[in-house]
Amino acid sequence: MFRNIRKIVHLQKAKFSAAAPAPQTNPEILYTGLFINNEWVKSSDGRTFQTENPATGQVITEVQQTGKSDVDRAVKAAKDAFRLGSPWRTMDASQRGVLINRLADLIERDRIYLASLETLDNGKPYTAAYYGDLGGVIKNLRYYAGWADKNQGKVVPTDGKYFAYTRHEPVGICGQIIPWNFPLLMAAWKLGPALATGNTVVMKPAEQTPLTALYLAQLVKEAGFPPGVVNMLPGFGDAGAAIVEHPDVDKIAFTGSTEVGKLIQRGVADSLKRVTLELGGKSPNIILGDVDLEQAVEAAHHALFYNMGQCCTAGSRTFVEDKIYDKFVELAAERAKRRVVGDPFRPDVESGPQIDSEQHSKILNLIESGRTQGAKLVAGGSRAGDKGYFIQPTVFSEVKDDMEIATTEIFGPVQQIIRFSNLEEVVERANNTVYGLAAAVFTKDLDKANYLIQAIRAGTVWVNDYNIFGNQVPFGGFKQSGIGRENSEYGLRNYTEVKAVVVKLTEKNS
Amino acid sequence: MSKVDIKYTKLFINNEWVDAASKKTFPTINPQDETVITQVAEGDKADVDKAVSAAKKAFHRYSEWRTIDASQRGRLLLKLADLMERDVKYLAELETLDCGKPIKNAENEILWSAGIVRYYAGKADKILGNTIPADGEVLTFTLKEPVGVCGQILPWNYPIPMFIWKVAPVLATGCTTIIKPAEQSPLTALALAALIKEAGVPAGVVNVIPGYGPTAGAAITHHPDVDKVAFTGSTEVGRIIMSAAAAVNLKRITLELGGKSPLVICNDADVEQAAIIAHNAAFSNGGQCCVAGTRTYVQSGIYDKFVEKATEIAKKRSVGNPFENVDQGPQIDQDMFDKVIGYIDAGKKSGARCVVGGSRIGQVGYYIQPTVFADVKDDMKIAREEIFGPVQSILKFDTLEEMIDRANNTEYGLGAGIITKDITAALTFVKHVRAGSTWINTYEHIVAQTPFGGFKQSGTGRELGEEGIQQYLENKTVTISLPKKPLLQ
């Protein structure tokens, strides 16, 4: 259960520092339209929007912008593809698995291109895009391909002379709204279970990062999915709202901010659409005094700074036990100062830019609040460079629980190191948040680990590591970090509607 | 006769091709013309010992096979499926050459088997233990561990599918195996071993030892380092294996044995459609199918009409060179040929009415005419014993209630079917018949997702589906004492 941290951290670094095949620094943009019914179309009201390269602030390309009537068209296509007797509804479940595996094959074929496009549109280091994002996409799709013909219902020994069983049916037309921090990965996490269980999809990628989702749509067609099964609608919140409000959409899945999550929850109240939400977090990373200090510092560093801090599970409250606190802060600050920030296509770069100017300003403001509220700035603290949305890796120590930087989700490269002295106290403080997405415990002690594992109110608890995501493991939040779980067998439930069948017999059958 | 390139005729141990330690070989016969196709290395105890040693090493806790991700095992299985589809034509020709089944069937069976490999590929990282709300201050969970080194002994009637049914769950669960294909049909097992190596499965995980039952087979079932044995074949040999397992080290066992499966056709059935289903149920694979519908019970209201239809269809069944477009090839070998002819003679002597066939075809090759007996009685030899040949026995019944008892009046319990429109009759029959696979308005629909196996002396354990994976797992319960502190809610 408690593997050696040294091996894990080493493996994580090794995985990403093995030389990835050379990127395409100027990838060709092939698809910028709306993808409805396996066809590329322009937006019906003629609107377009621009997507930007956050490393330079320059426009990459113009993309068609989805309006309400486009949403109507897409939902209609998804509905047709879902009708009883359609090719999608009548193919063997195992055949759905074959198609999803084929999609994974095509993504593997175009892995370099997709990773390059992701880096261009999102700003994340290419090495991370190639290994982390694309690796995760391929694995997730293959994982759910394997579930397609294994979503079994039950036969139950009911009272009376009846034969009773359950059918696990697809829930129907699914509206899926995904964020900009892991664009293609989030698309895969949503599509995998929805398609495996036989649903149809209308997906809206984030306006900041539409490009890889659009290329993915073309691969969906190439893989052989029938028209209307997957529809891809680039656009803004208004397109998302139209999807949420559409009467023919049966289910909404959303990953993004808690604020928008609440809007969606309210938005479906009348129609009672099934909803799953993956929202924000302010996850505690609890480091006890018995750890190997260097390894713990390294792990905590990655827990926060990975993906430029733009991770819903970022370990953004690093609780460090008193007796190692000062040394920890020293090493953490040193490590942050050494973090390489720059052109995300360079293989040695660890951090690219933040996603856009809005996030950039928000983060700088929160850094300012840290200063004014009395936290001690020990690394970074300002923007980096003079073009693009770069921020220096920033570390605050002597952070108090009530400071804004300790309560508000920053979603940027800002690490808060907080002092604690005993377990009961840290549990209360770790749980004292509206969020509950993830948490971690670093210790060698079996009993202390078990105590914290049980006590922390979070959907994922890591022990002696951080940000480990396996498709086999469920992911989601307690409290205002979300509703429902993605990945794993649990993820199937979000896309399954249970129908009970009870057949009258003339004699008792058990 | 097709010229098929035979690439592999040696033992496959530790991803290498080796001669038998004794240097002995045995012939594999072409059932079309009784000639020798080729010599194959003949494995015996010394070779089994080497193979078990390799399989044991590959199962060591620090081996590559034990330390790769479960999802990676799935990837290897997907690769194997791709390779089988790539080589479908070659594998089908080899299969038909070695066991005489029509080549179209061989091809379909390979594609079906590749689908089964894909099913288990998807299963590899979905084998779940549980965390349990146990009494006491403990954290309790279960680990589903691979059972270990497996010995798997295959029959000759569906060489490729039977190889895949055995090897796929082994690979999905992370076990290792020594496979002994039937001596009548070793060639495709060796070709599949080559594909397994090509797919990237580490050395020692899969080993294939062609040879005979009393020598190589017995060495496997008696080996103290084999944790589990799986066998498909006759009930008689199944008993021998069960004794061996008990005697040596209490190996876990799964057995897929014989059958005498009833297919029940009710008055409300469409006679023509029912006759077609019943025909295929009896004659598929020349009747060489453990779950063949070998007791065709027809309700009295449609009996005569049914016998007429069944006769008509059987007369049209084409038998000949399996490389051509025929329904049926030769039976597998001289032994089975003699046995089937013996049963046909017994049927005639017992007073059943032979309405079609009843003799061998030609002078060379193990060809037998599709044979239909009507007016068969439950106590006749042909109604009680497994014939394993192209012989359909038609019996009459009056009521469903009577039928349930007659269906169950056998030591076997592999399959059963009923053809009727009545929902209650259908569900009642399948509920009360003691058989592992039951079909309503179809027969022998066996796919990757559906568990298959027998009640009573038709076997123990299930293959395919969710249940199929259970046989290759051993449950370990882990209980951790929790700290004796008051916990926050």
Side-chain angles (χ1 to χ4, degrees):
Chain A
M1 196 163 157
F2 303 116
R3 291 181 295 170
N4 190 317
I5 329 176
R6 183 191 297 271
K7 193 159 134 191
I8 306 312
V9 172
H10 174 73
L11 278 174
Q12 270 188 338
K13 289 187 66 184
K15 189 167 69 175
F16 281 27
S17 62
Q24 299 172 18
T25 54
N26 195 14
E28 197 186 344
I29 312 299
L30 296 166
Y31 305 106
T32 57
L34 315 186
F35 183 78
I36 299 176
N37 229 17
N38 275 13
E39 283 165 7
W40 291 102
V41 296
K42 287 192 149 50
S43 78
S44 44
D45 60 14
R47 287 186 303 164
T48 63
F49 67 101
Q50 294 175 335
T51 185
E52 217 182 28
N53 177 351
T56 60
Q58 291 177 332
V59 172
I60 302 171
T61 187
E62 277 205 353
V63 178
Q64 297 294 310
Q65 186 175 341
T66 299
K68 186 176 178 311
S69 63
D70 302 308
V71 169
D72 289 342
R73 259 196 303 168
V75 172
K76 179 171 187 309
K79 200 174 169 196
D80 280 343
F82 190 73
R83 77 184 184 286
L84 220 46
S86 75
W88 185 237
R89 295 300 299 281
T90 50
M91 71 171 64
D92 284 339
S94 57
Q95 183 61 18
R96 296 198 298 265
V98 167
L99 291 177
I100 298 171
N101 261 323
R102 210 175 284 164
L103 180 60
D105 289 342
L106 295 174
I107 292 170
E108 250 176 341
R109 178 193 71 189
D110 298 342
R111 188 172 179 170
I112 292 174
Y113 171 76
L114 279 164
S116 304
L117 191 59
E118 193 81 301
T119 291
L120 184 70
D121 208 7
N122 166 284
K124 66 175 68 211
Y126 170 75
T127 318
Y130 184 85
Y131 284 115
D133 295 60
L134 266 294
V137 168
I138 293 161
K139 282 185 163 188
N140 194 287
L141 290 175
R142 292 211 193 282
Y143 177 79
Y144 274 108
W147 270 117
D149 59 354
K150 301 177 183 67
N151 187 8
Q152 305 190 143
K154 317 232 180 252
V155 173
V156 297
T158 189
D159 289 357
K161 297 176 181 175
Y162 298 94
F163 169 54
Y165 65 94
T166 61
R167 287 174 50 82
H168 283 191
E169 308 204 338
V171 70
I173 293 108
C174 303
Q176 303 185 318
I177 300 168
I178 56 175
W180 47 258
N181 58 345
F182 294 90
L184 199 61
L185 186 61
M186 292 297 99
W189 277 32
K190 296 278 184 286
L191 287 179
L195 297 177
T197 47
N199 296 278
T200 58
V201 172
V202 175
M203 178 174 280
K204 190 201 87 61
E207 58 269 25
Q208 297 89 339
T209 52
L211 299 180
T212 46
L214 292 173
Y215 189 83
L216 178 68
Q218 181 63 22
L219 294 184
V220 164
K221 178 177 181 177
E222 190 182 341
F225 285 87
V229 171
V230 175
N231 305 277
M232 195 68 76
L233 303 179
F236 288 74
D238 59 312
I243 294 171
V244 168
E245 286 157 12
H246 199 296
D248 290 336
V249 168
D250 300 293
K251 182 225 163 37
I252 299 290
F254 169 78
T255 298
S257 68
T258 295
E259 184 194 340
V260 175
K262 289 178 182 176
L263 284 176
I264 290 177
Q265 183 83 306
R266 281 187 209 113
V268 302
D270 280 339
S271 59
L272 285 183
K273 289 175 174 57
R274 290 87 177 86
V275 163
T276 41
L277 305 169
E278 299 281 356
L279 308 175
K282 194 71 185 178
S283 303
N285 185 6
I286 302 172
I287 301 175
L288 272 54
D290 65 342
V291 299
D292 175 314
L293 196 52
E294 269 165 32
Q295 285 173 19
V297 166
E298 187 68 16
H301 175 82
H302 288 291
L304 190 290
F305 290 101
Y306 185 65
N307 211 41
M308 294 68 72
Q310 299 169 144
C311 240
C312 46
T313 51
S316 48
R317 289 184 292 153
T318 311
F319 286 95
V320 179
E321 196 173 348
D322 222 356
K323 62 185 187 202
I324 55 166
Y325 186 85
D326 293 326
K327 189 68 186 166
F328 188 100
V329 168
E330 192 188 310
L331 293 173
E334 229 172 86
R335 179 61 180 93
K337 286 173 184 165
R338 278 201 325 263
R339 190 173 181 81
V340 181
V341 180
D343 172 5
F345 280 106
R346 267 175 35 205
D348 60 318
V349 158
E350 295 174 279
S351 278
Q354 308 307 122
I355 187 65
D356 62 15
S357 73
E358 190 186 319
Q359 285 296 317
H360 193 251
S361 305
K362 182 178 162 208
I363 296 162
L364 289 174
N365 284 340
L366 281 161
I367 291 175
E368 190 51 37
S369 81
R371 279 200 185 93
T372 54
Q373 291 185 338
K376 187 165 170 219
L377 183 71
V378 295
S382 314
R383 81 167 292 146
D386 51 13
K387 65 173 179 152
Y389 309 114
F390 294 87
I391 295 181
Q392 296 172 336
T394 299
V395 182
F396 282 106
S397 68
E398 306 305 342
V399 176
K400 300 284 174 282
D401 289 5
D402 56 0
M403 291 177 181
E404 224 181 316
I405 55 172
T407 58
T408 306
E409 187 179 37
I410 303 174
F411 230 63
V414 186
Q415 183 178 41
Q416 285 63 240
I417 307 181
I418 309 170
R419 205 185 279 268
F420 79 92
S421 51
N422 75 68
L423 282 191
E424 281 88 349
E425 162 220 334
V426 80
V427 158
E428 280 235 36
R429 292 166 66 191
N431 286 339
N432 185 20
T433 164
V434 299
Y435 294 115
L437 192 54
V441 176
F442 281 77
T443 180
K444 290 190 176 81
D445 189 308
L446 182 65
D447 281 349
K448 288 179 182 163
N450 271 329
Y451 176 79
L452 289 171
I453 287 165
Q454 289 192 269
I456 294 170
R457 301 278 291 162
T460 300
V461 179
W462 289 294
V463 180
N464 292 335
D465 213 328
Y466 206 95
N467 274 342
I468 302 301
F469 296 97
N471 313 295
Q472 307 86 356
V473 181
F475 176 78
F478 280 43
K479 305 191 296 191
Q480 295 188 33
S481 285
I483 294 173
R485 295 291 177 270
E486 290 189 295
N487 295 341
S488 83
E489 183 180 17
Y490 297 85
L492 296 173
R493 298 180 189 179
N494 306 328
Y495 293 94
T496 296
E497 194 86 41
V498 176
K499 173 187 289 174
V501 179
V502 183
V503 181
K504 184 179 169 68
L505 298 170
T506 56
E507 46 164 89
K508 179 70 176 167
N509 244 312
S510 136
Chain B
M1 204 84 54
S2 271
K3 207 76 188 90
V4 187
D5 177 24
I6 297 165
K7 299 178 193 153
Y8 306 105
T9 57
K10 296 192 183 197
L11 313 182
F12 182 77
I13 301 178
N14 224 23
N15 275 14
E16 282 165 6
W17 299 100
V18 295
D19 291 320
S22 65
K23 298 285 184 272
K24 281 168 74 179
T25 63
F26 70 98
T28 182
I29 309 290
N30 182 346
Q32 297 169 57
D33 62 9
E34 305 173 42
T35 60
V36 172
I37 301 171
T38 186
Q39 294 287 331
V40 178
E42 184 185 333
D44 202 329
K45 188 176 180 312
D47 310 291
V48 168
D49 285 344
K50 262 177 61 183
V52 172
S53 178
K56 203 176 165 194
K57 187 148 173 261
F59 193 72
H60 186 271
R61 65 184 178 278
Y62 297 138
S63 73
E64 182 185 348
W65 187 234
R66 296 300 302 281
T67 50
I68 58 175
D69 288 336
S71 57
Q72 182 57 19
R73 296 200 299 266
R75 290 293 282 121
L76 294 176
L77 279 161
L78 281 181
K79 187 83 176 91
L80 175 61
D82 288 343
L83 295 175
M84 287 172 68
E85 285 170 357
R86 179 193 72 188
D87 295 351
V88 60
K89 288 251 173 294
Y90 169 72
L91 289 168
E93 285 175 1
L94 196 58
E95 186 90 311
T96 292
L97 180 68
D98 208 7
C99 78
K101 73 174 65 218
I103 192 148
K104 200 79 194 80
N105 295 1
E107 271 190 33
N108 288 339
E109 286 167 21
I110 291 162
L111 297 176
W112 173 58
S113 302
I116 290 169
V117 173
R118 291 212 163 83
Y119 178 88
Y120 281 110
K123 194 65 196 160
D125 60 354
K126 300 173 181 67
I127 297 166
L128 307 175
N130 294 101
T131 57
I132 300 171
D135 288 355
E137 286 178 31
V138 290
L139 165 64
T140 301
F141 55 91
T142 55
L143 298 173
K144 302 293 181 187
E145 312 244 308
V147 68
V149 174
C150 303
Q152 304 182 304
I153 299 169
L154 314 180
W156 45 259
N157 55 347
Y158 294 89
I160 290 175
M162 293 296 97
F163 184 97
I164 293 302
W165 282 34
K166 297 282 182 285
V167 89
V170 162
L171 296 177
T173 52
C175 295
T176 59
T177 183
I178 298 95
I179 298 177
K180 190 202 87 60
E183 58 269 26
Q184 296 89 339
S185 56
L187 298 181
T188 47
L190 297 172
L192 287 172
L195 294 186
I196 285 171
K197 178 177 178 176
E198 189 182 341
V201 175
V205 173
V206 176
N207 306 275
V208 182
I209 309 286
Y212 292 89
T215 48
I220 290 171
T221 57
H222 284 88
H223 203 297
D225 289 337
V226 168
D227 300 296
K228 178 224 166 40
V229 75
F231 168 75
T232 298
S234 69
T235 297
E236 177 196 17
V237 176
R239 279 206 187 80
I240 295 173
I241 290 177
M242 204 174 213
S243 309
V248 176
N249 63 339
L250 276 189
K251 295 173 174 52
R252 288 84 176 92
I253 323 166
T254 39
L255 303 171
E256 299 281 357
L257 307 175
K260 195 68 184 178
S261 305
L263 174 58
V264 176
I265 300 165
C266 301
N267 281 336
D268 67 345
D270 175 319
V271 175
E272 168 134 21
Q273 279 177 22
I276 293 171
I277 293 173
H279 176 83
N280 291 326
F283 291 101
S284 265
N285 210 39
Q288 300 170 130
C289 188
C290 48
V291 79
T294 46
R295 291 184 287 153
T296 308
Y297 286 96
V298 183
Q299 205 163 18
S300 36
I302 54 164
Y303 182 83
D304 293 328
K305 199 160 168 234
F306 181 91
V307 171
E308 204 182 292
K309 263 286 164 230
T311 302
E312 196 184 300
I313 298 173
K315 283 192 169 131
K316 290 210 227 70
R317 189 175 183 79
S318 59
V319 185
N321 176 354
F323 280 96
E324 283 158 24
N325 191 13
V326 296
D327 297 321
Q328 185 173 311
Q331 305 309 114
I332 186 66
D333 65 9
Q334 187 70 54
D335 266 347
M336 289 307 303
F337 177 87
D338 291 338
K339 188 169 164 215
V340 175
I341 295 289
Y343 277 112
I344 292 175
D345 289 341
K348 287 174 185 163
K349 284 198 190 74
S350 67
R353 188 165 43 111
C354 181
V355 292
V356 182
S359 315
R360 102 172 277 173
I361 301 175
Q363 299 305 313
V364 170
Y366 311 116
Y367 293 93
I368 297 180
Q369 294 175 328
T371 298
V372 180
F373 284 104
D375 307 340
V376 178
K377 301 282 177 284
D378 284 5
D379 56 1
M380 291 176 182
K381 205 162 174 212
I382 54 171
R384 299 210 60 76
E385 294 177 29
E386 189 178 38
I387 301 173
F388 231 66
V391 181
Q392 181 178 39
S393 296
I394 306 177
L395 307 92
K396 190 189 290 193
F397 78 96
D398 289 308
T399 70
L400 188 65
E401 200 43 41
E402 152 218 342
M403 191 54 250
I404 291 170
D405 290 321
R406 289 172 69 186
N408 287 337
N409 183 18
T410 165
E411 77 219 43
Y412 293 114
L414 194 52
I418 182 164
I419 301 181
T420 177
K421 292 187 180 67
D422 184 325
I423 204 175
T424 303
L427 290 175
T428 301
F429 178 74
V430 304
K431 175 63 189 178
H432 295 302
V433 73
R434 303 281 291 162
S437 295
T438 57
W439 292 284
I440 298 173
N441 294 334
T442 182
Y443 199 83
E444 222 178 311
H445 183 97
I446 302 168
V447 291
Q449 305 86 6
T450 54
F452 178 85
F455 280 45
K456 306 192 299 192
Q457 294 188 43
S458 283
T460 172
R462 294 292 176 269
E463 293 186 293
L464 301 187
E466 276 290 327
E467 283 71 2
I469 205 97
Q470 301 304 322
Q471 323 291 342
Y472 290 88
L473 299 170
E474 192 90 40
N475 179 83
K476 175 186 293 173
T477 301
V478 180
T479 299
I480 304 176
S481 170
L482 292 174
K484 309 289 184 286
K485 280 187 216 264
L487 296 170
L488 294 173
Q489 284 314 295

